[in-house]
Amino acid sequence: MSIPHLLVHDEKDTVGVVVVEDLKAGTDMTCVVTANDSAFALKAKMDVPIGHKIALTDIKAGDTVWKYGQDIGKAVRADRQGRARPRP
């Protein structure tokens, strides 16, 4: 497995965390689910700084956002898969 660009903590998470510097739009990211050490690919749709969240699926305003297998709040705006997420 190559070095991950994005870490996802639980299979039900809807966001992952960027773990590389200067992630650029168009990057085919290697994403790792730490709960089971599985991996999947996802394309970054925008430049995203290290430590920021990326939507793993399309998220609608009002949807529950999941990170670390926990409900971290309701989405205040919609976002498409592969785009950076504001809080939550």
Side-chain angles (χ1 to χ4, degrees):
M1 182 183 329
S2 62
I3 296 172
H5 298 91
L6 191 77
L7 290 182
V8 178
H9 295 277
D10 192 272
E11 294 173 346
K12 70 179 175 183
D13 288 354
T14 56
V15 295
V17 179
V18 174
V19 294
V20 295
E21 296 282 348
D22 301 319
L23 181 71
K24 299 296 183 196
T27 300
D28 289 317
M29 298 180 291
T30 298
C31 310
V32 173
V33 180
T34 60
N36 61 16
D37 204 29
S38 63
F40 62 96
L42 182 67
K43 185 176 289 285
K45 301 289 191 330
M46 60 192 306
D47 295 352
V48 184
I50 191 169
H52 286 244
K53 297 183 296 290
I54 289 184
L56 303 177
T57 63
D58 290 347
I59 298 173
K60 297 182 217 106
D63 282 356
T64 299
V65 179
W66 293 89
K67 181 179 174 188
Y68 309 118
Q70 303 292 314
D71 171 348
I72 63 166
K74 300 290 184 193
V76 295
R77 69 172 170 84
D79 250 326
R80 306 286 292 173
Q81 180 186 47
R83 295 186 56 83
R85 285 287 314 155
R87 291 185 176 145

